[in-house]
Amino acid sequence: MIRAAHLLGLAAVLGAGALATHARIRRNVGRYPPHGFTLDLPDGPTHVIEGGEPDAPPTVLIHGSDGVALDWPVSPLWGQLGAHARLIAPDRPGHGHTPARVGSPITVEVNVRRLAQLLDALEVHEPVTLLGHSYGAAVALAFAAAYPGRVRALVLVSPTAFPVRGLTRPLAYVPLVPVLETLLTRVLLLPIGRLVAWIEGTRAFHPHPIPADWHAMMLAFSRRRAQVHALAWENRTFAQELARLAPHYPELDVPAVVVAGAHDRLAPTEGHAVPLAHALPHARLRLLPDAGHQLHWTHPEELTRAVVEVAGMEETDTGS
């Protein structure tokens, strides 16, 4: 009888947690509606935000793992870079407002194929500049390897480019266990998501504070079930994909600039940015001494300058 009472109490707590999680997620969906438009692509609906100068050279901004397209226009980079380029920012599969069936593969290859379909649908036929952040840098590199004629230049920001130790995290395997998946995504997602967002946000912005706008936005998106699954799938397969991709870096015959922060705690420069700049045949490395991982928030001027210069949009005096 006591055991039954305990079970009923536990069931009530779990039920209340599930209801609270569902209600909060619905509220966040309303708070952050799509800011762009959705295209019906062969691989599925894809949400994309456009901005900048429509007749300027196109620049595709590829967000990182557990990121969203909205991260770009909310950041200071959007307005500065938009004065020089046509900006195209898609939600990658399973992220933001681009849906993905729970359990479907979310890999670098899947992202590359979706990006090619997106450019076709937007009728972007000229070569584009790809600005990839973190995981997005790997997508940019893989796209350049698969479609060299479609890439004008690469801007690789805080890149994750090599299969270093610690890249795969144990939490990425939790969604594979049905009971744990249900517990995580339907009951405990609010407190765990808040804790993870604070920990990861602190690491991402170090040595700078976390902007309130970014924190609120990421709390809203990163606690959606589909995005939890997408993030987990990416993390489980990323190291193997980078191991296959890295040998092709010396073959990428395209202008590139690698921009990284000396204090990056998520993609340390000695494991990623520095060896990547050496591996790419036409790359320059810009190491920012006072920066961390989220450079589009903390150093938008430097990123804008890097895009403008490497893509040959206009002559700029950098003082170097």
Side-chain angles (χ1 to χ4, degrees):
M1 200 167 175
I2 296 177
R3 181 176 298 177
H6 287 167
L7 289 176
L8 285 174
L10 178 60
V13 170
L14 294 177
L19 289 174
T21 299
H22 180 70
R24 178 64 65 86
I25 290 173
R26 284 180 62 87
R27 190 187 317 159
N28 285 334
V29 169
R31 185 180 179 186
Y32 293 97
H35 279 62
F37 53 94
T38 297
L39 293 169
D40 236 350
L41 303 182
D43 280 4
T46 300
H47 175 248
V48 59
I49 303 172
E50 286 203 272
E53 296 294 330
D55 298 324
T59 296
V60 180
L61 297 93
I62 310 171
H63 65 75
S65 200
D66 203 25
V68 292
L70 185 60
D71 188 27
W72 299 110
V74 174
S75 79
L77 176 65
W78 189 261
Q80 296 189 28
L81 186 55
H84 305 277
R86 172 188 176 185
L87 303 180
I88 302 169
D91 272 317
R92 297 193 296 99
H95 296 70
H97 295 288
T98 293
R101 183 175 54 83
V102 169
S104 60
I106 307 295
T107 64
V108 171
E109 181 182 357
V110 165
N111 278 276
V112 167
R113 187 170 64 242
R114 186 73 65 98
L115 179 53
Q117 294 173 5
L118 173 66
L119 294 178
D120 290 342
L122 293 175
E123 298 184 345
V124 178
H125 303 301
E126 64 181 291
V128 300
T129 298
L130 298 179
L131 188 158
H133 176 245
S134 195
Y135 183 99
V139 175
L141 288 161
F143 187 91
Y147 301 98
R150 304 193 73 167
V151 179
R152 176 176 182 169
L154 294 171
V155 180
L156 307 166
V157 181
S158 308
T160 307
F162 295 95
V164 297
R165 290 184 61 183
L167 200 59
T168 304
R169 300 181 181 181
L171 193 61
Y173 292 93
V174 170
L176 296 178
V177 183
V179 174
L180 294 180
E181 191 277 341
T182 299
L183 192 62
L184 172 65
T185 64
R186 300 192 186 277
V187 180
L188 299 177
L189 199 53
L190 293 183
I192 291 179
R194 181 172 293 277
L195 178 63
V196 170
W198 182 81
I199 293 173
E200 292 300 297
T202 300
R203 296 178 67 204
F205 279 94
H206 175 81
H208 302 272
I210 304 174
D213 288 347
W214 180 89
H215 192 249
M217 176 182 63
M218 292 314 300
L219 279 177
F221 283 104
S222 65
R223 293 191 287 186
R224 298 183 182 186
R225 183 169 180 250
Q227 189 149 319
V228 170
H229 276 269
L231 172 62
W233 194 296
E234 288 176 345
N235 191 251
R236 289 195 302 266
T237 60
F238 198 25
Q240 297 95 318
E241 290 190 279
L242 288 176
R244 293 192 296 268
L245 179 61
H248 297 284
Y249 294 158
E251 303 166 8
L252 299 183
D253 188 21
V254 59
V257 59
V258 180
V259 191
H263 298 279
D264 194 329
R265 291 183 171 181
L266 296 183
T269 57
E270 64 273 12
H272 297 283
V274 172
L276 177 61
H278 287 135
L280 295 171
H282 307 294
R284 288 179 292 168
L285 173 65
R286 289 192 175 176
L287 189 59
L288 306 180
D290 61 338
H293 193 70
Q294 300 293 90
L295 302 183
H296 51 300
W297 280 85
T298 62
H299 292 73
E301 297 88 355
E302 285 82 350
L303 294 192
T304 298
R305 188 178 303 118
V307 173
V308 167
E309 291 178 0
V310 75
M313 293 177 181
E314 65 181 37
E315 292 297 324
T316 303
D317 182 10
T318 65
S320 59

